[in-house]
Amino acid sequence: MRILITGTAGFIGYHLTQTILNNGFEVLGIDNINDYYDVNLKYNRLQTLGIPKDSIHPNSICTSHKWSQLQFVQTDLHNKEQIFQYFQQFKPHIVINLAAQAGVRYSFEQPYTYIDSNIIGFLNILEACRSFPVQHLLYASSSSVYGLNKNIPFSIEDSVDYPISLYAATKKSNELMAHTYSYLFQIPTTGLRFFTVYGPWGRPDMALFKFTQNILANKPIEVYNYGQMYRDFTYIDDIVSAIIQLINIPPLSHSHTATPAPYRLLNIGNGNPVKLMDFVEAIEQELNKKSNHPFSSTSTRRRC
């Protein structure tokens, strides 16, 4: 089985690629290695996969010296010609789209980056799946789509019509785009709404790493809404396990469901929300050091 994974140098993409390779599948990894956070972390992840930095050249496929069935290319998803070329050459059976411009607050500063990557890039993936039919397209959505929804716990049946960040809006758009292509062209799609993923090789902009770094450096940590927030933390191995189990179970067309399209959405989370201040206290205990957290009254329902 040939699996194309976008976002291979990212946190989830790296762990998923490693597991899939251990299962013996053939993989083509794609990542643009942008500088949203330290690119050295991304290069180090790829190095662990057997792809050293000096072997990576834009739009040129290289092969891992650790896994012969792994190929990697650095390119942007909004480069339609290149994406189509790789689909035509590799002929994937499964596509797992994890590439996206991440971050909620960064979207306030760089909105066009989110449109290029999360909207145009995803459209190119859908068009490539249409032109070179695949058995299943799985893609990363986000719990951020729930926005101002007040129902707890979140359900995929809940309304997600009121996003509160451009990042969330692009993820909601991805779900709508996927449904359209599933309905029109019978492309089986599964959208995965991830809830605060954490673990080794994690993104440094996530709370775990930001809080730890600031506490060690005697800097204040940002705590919003007077600390009255809950997050559903999900360990990376559980995310990878869920994706692996879903690969060979594409959604089917059913006339008795809300849509006849081969389309579905799933919440992928721990299902056990933790109070943010309990999370901070756990970090303090591990570091044996108290944090400095002047509370902000700014309300946010950020979940990603």
Side-chain angles (χ1 to χ4, degrees), residues 4-5 14 18 22 50 73 77 101-102 106 121 128-129 155 189 196 252 262 276 283:
L4 186 149
I5 302 175
Y14 158 72
Q18 192 170 53
N22 286 331
V73 62
L77 291 190
Q101 178 55 60
Y106 188 66
C129 290
S155 167
T189 65
T196 313
L252 303 175
L276 184 61
I283 297 175

Side-chain angles (χ1 to χ4, degrees), residues 85-103:
Q85 177 184 327
Y86 303 135
F87 267 75
Q88 185 175 34
Q89 292 177 353
F90 188 64
K91 297 180 175 60
H93 301 107
I94 306 293
V95 174
I96 305 175
N97 184 58
L98 301 174
Q101 178 55 60

